[in-house]
Structure formats: C-alpha cells, structure tokens
Amino acid sequence: MKKFIIALSILTIGANTGFAQKVMTRTAKISFTATAASSPEKIDAINNEVANIVDTKTGDLVFQVLVKSFKFERALMQEHFNENYMESDKFPKAEFKGAIANMADVNFTKDGTYNAKVGGKLTIHGVTNDVSVPGTITVKGNSYTLKAKFPVTLADYKIAIPGVVADKINKVATITLESNLTQK
Amino acid sequence: MLKKISVVLGFLIIIGVCTAYYMWTKPAPKAEDIKGITMTAVQLNKEFTADETKANASYLDKVIEISGTVTDVSANQDGGIVMILDSGDPMAGVQCTMRDKGAKVAKGQTVTIKGFCRGNNMGVALNDCVIK
C-alpha cells in the first residue's frame, strides 16, 4: 500500500510538471521601426496581441503574430503596410518556431537573467528563413520575461519597397520583442 | 488661353494637395461607425476552428459585434484592457483588446462589444474594441 502511494505521488508529480512545463501568453508585444535616416515621418508600429508558447523544459519557442494587429500612428501607413508590403489578406500571420540553443545556460527554476541564443524558422510574408537571434530570459519565481531585439532584412522576405518611398523606408527593420509569461 | 489653363491647373493642384493631406491625416476607422457582423464568441471560434482560411476571408479586418461571457480581464504591456470571452474552448477564448484604456469590464459579465477581427492566433483576436 505504501509503495502504491509513493508510486501514485511520483506519477502525480510527474504529470503535474509535465503539464506545467509549457507557458503561454497572447499579449506579448512586438514593435518594429523601419524609418530611414532621411525620412521626416516615423515608420514604426506596435502589436500587443502576439501569442507565445515557451516550453521551459525543452526550450522550444513559438511566436505567432497577426499582421493585421500592428498599429501605426497614421491610418494610411497601416493600410499601405497591410495592402502593399505585407499583403496581410494573403499572409495574415507571421510566425517563429524554434528553440533556445543554449538551454544549459538557462535555468527556468532559478531567479536571474540569462543570455539566450535562439535559433529557428521565421516566416514573414509567406517566406521562411532560418534565423538566429540573441535575447535575454529573466526568471523571477514563476514569471518569465523574454526580450530580444534583432534586424530583419525586408528583401529576405520578398517585401518590395517601391522607388518613390525608397528613401523613407529602411531596408532593414529593427524588431523589438517582449513577452511576459506566468506559470499558472 | 494660357490664363485659363493656369487657373485650371492651379485648381487641380489645390485639390490634389488637399486630397493628399486628407489621406495622410485621416483617422483610423472606428468600430462604432461601421455596421458590424453580429455573432457570439462561440460561433466565431467555431468558424475559425472549422476552416481558418475561409474564416479569414469572411472576417479579417471586419467589424464584429460579438457577445459572450467574460472569463478573464487583464492589461497588456501598454496598459490596454484585454478581455477573454468564453468560446466554448477554454484554451482558445476570443481575445478582445479595448480601444479605451479606461474601459470597465468585469469577469463573469455578459457583454456585447464591437471590434475589428485581426485573425486567429491560439484563439480569435479582436482589437480597437468598444462596448456596445
């Protein structure tokens, strides 16, 4: 009977941690800026509706971004972004699927800030590329904060910039990401 | 003749500049100004789960007048109020981000709101929402 109880508690604990190793949020934030040096107008946007799943055991990461959720200061810019550049009717989602490459350096059970190297596949505008992005992971109790800042070359994702605005839009957009997750 | 042409030309330029200015400064569309598609959160989730491509074609960027029960209220990183409406699937509630940061909604409330459908990422997402 004792053995049975021990076995049962091990099983329960196992099942619990198994269930709890994945954390998710649907309110991660991604912003980008693509303002060229000579542009009088800021070309940047914010998306507060990014979905993110982190597997704290394996280091697997998924980010899903609804392109239409990006908000610009100017409605016209937002329209052009969706219609001419991202073609968001055709490609409503951008996605990153990858993993923390240096899981040995990241401890999700101990408070602290860790440098993470994340590698995986980034899909934007229907084009997928292998990317490697540095970032930080801050662990505080059962809360985790993921941060990263990285460049995306628009041509790599077949995003064309028309000649008339070529001096306004930077050919490389800077992406800033922050995701706050809490283990429930 | 030349005078006439320059008057017409000048007029056209003024119209052009005004149109460009209007286009450039036009405000973002507001949910309350647009007739929405009326449906429940459960219905909307069902359509996106059944066929996402088809649902995207029908609802992306459209204003939806959605009703449902609030299962969660939280704030995003910029202080925006985010509520989750029960969709029948606890893993994929309909997420509505309110336009007004002071919007008052409480868990357990049954609400009808209007907002723009932005797609499905682990549940349907609406933003720029207003309480009906």
Side-chain angles (χ1 to χ4, degrees), chain A residues 24-151:
Chain A
M24 77 165 285
T25 177
R26 287 169 69 191
T27 53
K29 177 179 171 180
I30 286 182
S31 53
F32 74 80
T33 173
T35 317
S38 60
S39 171
E41 283 279 338
K42 267 193 198 159
I43 301 164
D44 44 22
I46 296 175
N47 187 333
N48 274 306
E49 285 125 44
V50 177
N52 171 215
I53 302 178
V54 180
D55 189 319
T56 57
K57 205 168 189 177
T58 61
D60 287 339
L61 290 176
V62 177
F63 284 91
Q64 263 185 26
V65 185
L66 295 174
V67 176
K68 286 185 185 289
S69 281
F70 277 102
K71 295 187 78 174
F72 290 72
E73 215 166 295
R74 295 214 180 269
L76 188 68
M77 230 185 246
Q78 190 163 324
E79 252 176 59
H80 288 171
F81 169 77
N82 279 295
E83 287 165 15
N84 307 342
Y85 301 95
M86 297 296 280
E87 298 177 87
S88 60
D89 280 328
K90 228 158 100 190
F91 310 110
K93 259 186 236 182
E95 191 184 60
F96 173 80
K97 260 190 189 156
I100 299 163
N102 59 331
M103 262 310 262
D105 306 329
V106 180
N107 189 348
F108 277 100
T109 56
K110 194 174 164 232
D111 285 8
T113 297
Y114 307 94
N115 288 320
K117 290 186 198 97
V118 174
K121 291 188 182 306
L122 179 61
T123 306
I124 303 173
H125 192 227
V127 181
T128 304
N129 284 312
D130 284 312
V131 294
S132 176
V133 172
T136 59
I137 296 171
T138 302
V139 177
K140 201 178 175 198
N142 56 352
S143 294
Y144 317 115
T145 302
L146 276 60
K147 281 187 187 175
K149 194 172 181 178
F150 56 98

Side-chain angles (χ1 to χ4, degrees), chain A residues 24 26-27 29 41 46 48-49 51 53 64 66 68-69 71 74-77 79 88 92-93 178 180, chain B residues 23-28 52 56 60-61 76-78 93 95 97 118-125 127-128:
Chain A
M24 77 165 285
R26 287 169 69 191
T27 53
K29 177 179 171 180
E41 283 279 338
I46 296 175
N48 274 306
E49 285 125 44
I53 302 178
Q64 263 185 26
L66 295 174
K68 286 185 185 289
S69 281
K71 295 187 78 174
R74 295 214 180 269
L76 188 68
M77 230 185 246
E79 252 176 59
S88 60
K93 259 186 236 182
E178 181 172 340
N180 298 322
Chain B
M23 291 289 283
W24 187 239
T25 54
K26 72 174 175 179
E52 190 166 327
N56 273 334
L60 271 190
D61 268 346
N76 66 26
Q77 290 176 41
D78 291 325
Q95 173 175 288
T97 305
R118 303 305 189 190
N120 181 27
N121 58 345
M122 302 173 200
V124 184
N127 71 10
D128 277 335

